[in-house]
Amino acid sequence: MRVAILTLFPEMFGAQNTLGVVGRAINDGRMDVSLFNPRDYAQDKHNTVDDRPFGGGAGMVMQIEPLLAALNIARAKVGSGSNKTVLLSPSGTVFKQQTALTNLSLDGLILICGRYEGIDQRFVDKYIDEQWSIGDYVISGGELAAMVVVDALARHIPGVLGNNQSIIDESHLDGRLDYPQYTRPENAPEGSVPGELLSGDHNKVRLYRRREALRTTFERRPDLLTQQLFAAEERRLLKEVIDTN
Ligand code: SAM
């Protein structure tokens, strides 16, 4: 997947693009991330990219021209094919695991990071396919949101994570949160590892994890459970959770 990011702060992506899962995806050639700064395409000698809002009010608004010039270069970079241009915005639809999976097959994704009070609505109306929010709060710029999106996508590109099971078991994939994890030592001042995980019995381990994933979801995000159908085994495990709660 080729990702192009329009940002006034390309330096912010330095760590993500070189470290961890995304760094590895880029290094292995499984993901391409390029950065375009609208300021480089500003028309005046001060490299202006923003101006005051019509109608008055606080803050500044990003102007159309530098964004469009950067977008045209980004489009050329991601090439033809199945592409999408997305604005990171607190007014967008919430970016979920399912959003990452739905967009995984895109050839190119252009992410636009707003700053200040946001960007001129005419640019949004004409050039933006979708708007994604990372949650119901406002942060100072789209960069952190773009990093969240890039990381969530990279994890699902085949071969990026060493062990594909990590993805299969992850929170949110099937509408449940993850089960608790333990590592050595078996006994610590803080407690002991649950017996099922030490039993060596694969079925016991599986049932423990399924039940505890349901417990975590029931306790913290019961809303996730209301839109689901449960097989008989899960109904029994969920009853155990409810009875012991
Ligand atoms: N005036 C805007 C409003 O009230 O909706 C907030 C602008 S915010 C300070 C600047 C930029 O940060 C936005 O244009 C957007 O790109 C990004 N941003 C802020 N919160 C976000 C969120 N929850 N999800 C995605 N992007 C966000």
Side-chain angles (χ1 to χ4, degrees):
M1 175 185 277
R2 286 185 297 281
V3 181
I5 302 174
L6 269 60
T7 168
L8 293 175
F9 294 98
E11 302 82 0
M12 287 181 70
F13 293 85
Q16 181 177 50
N17 290 353
T18 49
L19 302 172
V21 169
V22 175
R24 204 164 51 238
I26 293 172
N27 200 35
D28 293 349
R30 296 180 202 277
M31 190 180 219
D32 183 80
V33 178
S34 37
L35 301 161
F36 301 90
N37 188 343
R39 205 174 286 288
D40 295 339
Y41 306 95
Q43 300 296 318
D44 66 347
K45 64 176 190 273
H46 301 295
N47 300 115
T48 307
V49 292
D50 58 323
D51 207 335
R52 284 166 298 161
F54 280 119
M60 303 294 271
V61 176
M62 290 177 74
Q63 294 174 294
I64 299 172
E65 274 200 351
L67 279 170
L68 180 56
L71 177 62
N72 285 332
I73 305 288
R75 279 179 172 162
K77 173 76 184 178
V78 298
S80 54
S82 59
N83 295 337
K84 204 177 258 185
T85 301
V86 173
L87 172 67
L88 284 317
S89 164
S91 311
T93 52
V94 175
F95 180 83
K96 297 187 169 174
Q97 189 85 315
Q98 196 52 49
T99 324
L101 294 174
T102 306
N103 289 285
L104 207 55
S105 57
L106 288 173
D107 296 316
L109 176 64
I110 300 177
L111 296 174
I112 302 194
C113 305
R115 277 273 157 178
Y116 317 121
E117 290 309 313
I119 71 181
D120 191 306
Q121 186 60 36
R122 291 166 292 181
F123 182 89
V124 180
D125 293 342
K126 182 111 187 174
Y127 304 113
I128 298 294
D129 298 316
E130 290 180 20
Q131 300 188 46
W132 294 346
S133 163
I134 55 163
D136 293 341
Y137 42 82
V138 176
I139 53 177
S140 308
E143 288 76 12
L144 291 174
M147 286 186 221
V148 167
V149 168
V150 168
D151 191 297
L153 287 169
R155 301 175 63 71
H156 291 282
I157 295 176
V160 167
L161 290 188
N163 179 358
N164 279 336
Q165 191 64 31
S166 326
I167 295 207
I168 292 165
D169 282 349
E170 252 173 3
S171 294
H172 292 296
L173 203 58
D174 58 358
R176 288 140 184 70
L177 303 179
D178 201 3
Y179 47 77
Q181 304 275 11
Y182 299 87
T183 187
R184 278 194 279 237
E186 271 178 44
N187 299 301
E190 293 77 10
S192 299
V193 176
E196 289 99 321
L197 298 179
L198 304 171
S199 65
D201 180 331
H202 291 309
N203 199 40
K204 274 191 185 163
V205 172
R206 185 183 68 78
L207 287 174
Y208 167 84
R209 289 182 164 165
R210 216 146 238 255
R211 188 186 65 228
E212 295 311 309
L214 284 167
R215 187 188 307 284
T216 312
T217 315
F218 178 73
E219 288 174 358
R220 293 189 212 149
R221 291 290 306 276
D223 56 299
L224 295 176
L225 296 175
T226 55
Q227 307 127 15
Q228 298 195 29
L229 294 172
F230 297 99
E233 180 183 85
E234 281 211 315
R235 277 204 300 278
R236 183 177 58 73
L237 292 170
L238 191 54
K239 184 170 182 314
E240 271 178 53
V241 167
I242 294 168
D243 289 347
T244 54
N245 213 263

